[in-house]
Structure formats: structure tokens, C-alpha cells
Amino acid sequence: MRRPSPYITTFLSLCIWVGLTIAAPPSQPAAQSSPYDEWMAKFRKEVEDAKQKIAKTPGDASEHYRLGGLYEKLTKWKDAIAAYSQAVKIKPDFAYAYYDMGWCHTRLNNYEEALKAHQQAEKNMQITSFNLKLEVEKANYAIGWDLYMLRQYNEAIACYVKAAEIAPAFQEAVYEIGRVYLAQGDQEGARQVSNKLDPHLKELLLEEMKSGELDEKGGATDAPNPLVLKTKNKTRPTILHAEKAKYTSMAHDNNVQGIVILSVVFGANEKITGVRIVNDLPYGLAAESIIALQKLKFKPAMKDGKPVSVRGRLEFRFNLY
């Protein structure tokens, strides 16, 4: 199994439709910038080292795989995919290279390509390559995620069920079954799943269930026709306080990076409603974003001197370094 980076930071940026981005500043900017610069320099140096070794031994699949992992850490998804592709070209049964390549495709929203890669990973997961053996439950979780994002919900549930049956302690798969039920509009099914989860995962799933309820409320009663903000600063809500979303240990262990985008209604009553997940991430990051969202404080947008409800987007950025 790959080792995660020792440095983890989450960034929150608030994007209200067109043009406005407010980044929540780190609590200690000076202390954080130096480790980040060192991290970037370290991995750029390792990329060059990997390239030099590949130039000497181009048939070394493990070195191509290492290069792919380095590009992942630098969020260069296309370069990572190219490196992993070369690794499996050399070693067609390299399950972990397919697995990681599939996750890179998800970062680019190429879910059909991700599904193909993850299915190849599952096909070869019994083979150990360079001391790396892919666990059955992880392969099925990945396939389930791709199917979920492709809205093939029943097939996704089947994969998650298989993962949970093989590894009963792998509650992440059970949690995702609940999320699929939510995507299908089955709140009761999701509630039943929540009762099978450990306290933390149960909390995350319940938060997502609340967001669905908020969406219905925001769309039906609180702000049936919220304004869509343009570029006039005076008509935008003013962000007074925003908190970073927590990085889950599940996402950390699987080196997940990316952006959760939430569409919300900034209410005239200074409350958030109408929460919708526009861009999702696995391993509980969407739920953690919703939890952080609850601590957001703002002054409502104004129109003709009166507070009004408006719909806008918020981005929660998760980066490993």
C-alpha cells in the first residue's frame, strides 16, 4: 500500500457564481508556506530523478509507477495517467497501476475511463507487483464510485455490497451505499444504512441526509426563486466567517485530492438552505464540506435596500502536502 504524504492541508475558497472568490486564509500563513515550498521542491526533484532512471532503464514498470505517484502528488493528473499507462504497457497485470490511473481519471471527470482502469485493476488484483497487492474491497469500492458518478446506481450498490461482504470492517463501502440511496431519493434506505455505521460515518451520512432536506426546503419554502448573483458587489452576500473542512483519514489514506463544490442558497434570514452537491469527492469529503458549511456566517445580499435570498457556489479544496 502506498504511503500518504506526511503533510495535509485543506483549503476553502468561496465562489459566488461569477467572478468572486474569497479564500479563507491559513491560520499561520508564514508557517504553512515554507513546508509547502519545500514539499513542491522535493517532489519536483524526485520527478527528475525518476525520469533519469527511466531514461537508463525504460522497461522498468516500477519506476514509471513511481513517476505516476509523484505527478499525482503534484496534481498533474494527465502526466500521472501517462506514467501509469506506460507502467501497465510494460507490465499488463500491474493492478495497482490500473487502480491509481483510474482515480486520476476521476479527478478529470473521465468516469468511463476510470471505470475501465478500475475493472482492469480488479481483474489483476490477485497478482502482487513490486510488493504491491491490491485489496479486493478497495478495487470494488473504486468501481462502485465510478458507477455512482455515472449514475448506474444499482450496479454501484452491488459493488459496494461485495466490498462490504469481503471485508466487513470496511465500513466506507457501507457508507457509500447510503449515499447511493440518497442519490436515488431514498431517505429511508439511507437512514437504515446509517444505523449500521460507526458513529463518525453515521454522522457524515446524516449530514448529507440533512443537505437533501435543506435542498427541498430551500427550493420550496425559504427561497422558491432565489436570485442568481452576477458581478455587482453590492448585491452579493458578505462572508464574515468561514471554516476549513476536515480531511478525513479515509481520504488521507487513499491520497484523495480535489474540490467539493456546493450550490447553496444564502438566505435573507442569514441561514444557508438549498444545499446541493455539484462536484463530489469520495471518502466522506463532501459530508465534511457540508459540516464546515454549517459554521459559515454571512450578511445577506441586498437589493433595493432589502436583504434577499440568492443562490451561489462554495468550493472546498482538498490538497495533500
Side-chain angles (χ1 to χ4, degrees), residues 219-292:
T221 59
D222 183 62
N225 294 295
L227 300 175
V228 176
L229 292 185
K230 298 301 182 182
T231 57
K232 296 180 180 179
N233 291 331
K234 291 183 180 180
T235 62
R236 293 173 176 164
T238 302
I239 306 300
L240 302 176
H241 173 76
E243 293 200 10
K244 298 172 185 175
K246 292 182 180 178
Y247 205 106
T248 65
S249 60
M250 300 178 292
H252 171 205
D253 293 342
N254 288 277
N255 294 317
V256 177
Q257 302 185 75
I259 304 172
V260 171
I261 302 177
L262 302 177
S263 174
V264 307
V265 173
F266 295 85
N269 59 359
E270 300 182 14
K271 293 183 180 180
I272 293 288
T273 59
V275 181
R276 303 169 188 165
I277 300 173
V278 177
N279 192 69
D280 205 349
L281 286 178
Y283 293 108
L285 295 182
E288 290 290 2
S289 300
I290 293 169
I291 291 172

Side-chain angles (χ1 to χ4, degrees), residues 92-320:
D93 58 6
F94 196 168
Y96 241 113
Y98 286 115
Y99 176 77
D100 291 330
M101 178 168 55
W103 282 117
C104 288
H105 277 298
T106 70
R107 306 301 180 255
L108 298 172
N109 297 322
N110 298 331
Y111 294 105
E112 291 189 359
E113 292 301 316
L115 179 59
K116 292 176 184 177
H118 286 147
Q119 287 173 334
Q120 282 296 318
E122 182 190 32
K123 180 180 177 181
N124 294 285
M125 62 189 173
Q126 299 301 326
I127 299 172
T128 301
S129 299
F130 310 106
N131 296 320
L132 294 169
K133 185 174 181 179
L134 181 63
E135 296 92 336
V136 177
E137 63 272 21
K138 290 183 69 172
N140 278 276
Y141 180 98
I143 293 172
W145 179 261
D146 301 332
L147 291 167
Y148 162 68
M149 297 304 292
L150 290 168
R151 299 186 179 183
Q152 298 179 34
Y153 296 134
N154 292 334
E155 293 89 341
I157 289 175
C159 287
Y160 291 136
V161 168
K162 183 177 179 180
E165 288 177 346
I166 292 170
F170 190 49
Q171 285 222 310
E172 293 90 333
V174 181
Y175 165 71
E176 294 296 346
I177 293 172
R179 300 190 78 223
V180 177
Y181 282 136
L182 287 179
Q184 293 176 313
D186 186 354
Q187 289 269 335
E188 181 56 32
R191 195 176 305 280
Q192 291 179 14
V193 169
S194 73
N195 293 327
K196 301 176 183 179
L197 296 170
D198 64 42
H200 180 62
L201 286 176
K202 181 176 182 178
E203 178 190 7
L204 294 183
L205 185 57
L206 290 176
E207 288 300 332
E208 291 206 52
M209 291 174 66
K210 287 180 188 177
S211 76
E213 294 167 359
L214 286 173
D215 188 12
E216 292 177 4
K217 179 181 178 183
T221 59
D222 183 62
N225 294 295
L227 300 175
V228 176
L229 292 185
K230 298 301 182 182
T231 57
K232 296 180 180 179
N233 291 331
K234 291 183 180 180
T235 62
R236 293 173 176 164
T238 302
I239 306 300
L240 302 176
H241 173 76
E243 293 200 10
K244 298 172 185 175
K246 292 182 180 178
Y247 205 106
T248 65
S249 60
M250 300 178 292
H252 171 205
D253 293 342
N254 288 277
N255 294 317
V256 177
Q257 302 185 75
I259 304 172
V260 171
I261 302 177
L262 302 177
S263 174
V264 307
V265 173
F266 295 85
N269 59 359
E270 300 182 14
K271 293 183 180 180
I272 293 288
T273 59
V275 181
R276 303 169 188 165
I277 300 173
V278 177
N279 192 69
D280 205 349
L281 286 178
Y283 293 108
L285 295 182
E288 290 290 2
S289 300
I290 293 169
I291 291 172
L293 174 65
Q294 295 173 356
K295 300 175 183 177
L296 183 75
K297 296 185 184 301
F298 65 94
K299 288 184 179 180
M302 303 295 291
K303 184 179 181 182
D304 300 327
K306 296 179 180 180
V308 292
S309 297
V310 295
R311 180 167 286 282
R313 291 189 177 189
L314 299 101
E315 293 186 358
F316 292 80
R317 298 175 181 270
F318 295 88
N319 291 321
L320 280 167

Side-chain angles (χ1 to χ4, degrees), residues 24-35 244 321:
S27 56
Q28 295 179 335
Q32 288 191 2
S33 62
S34 178
K244 298 172 185 175
Y321 68 81

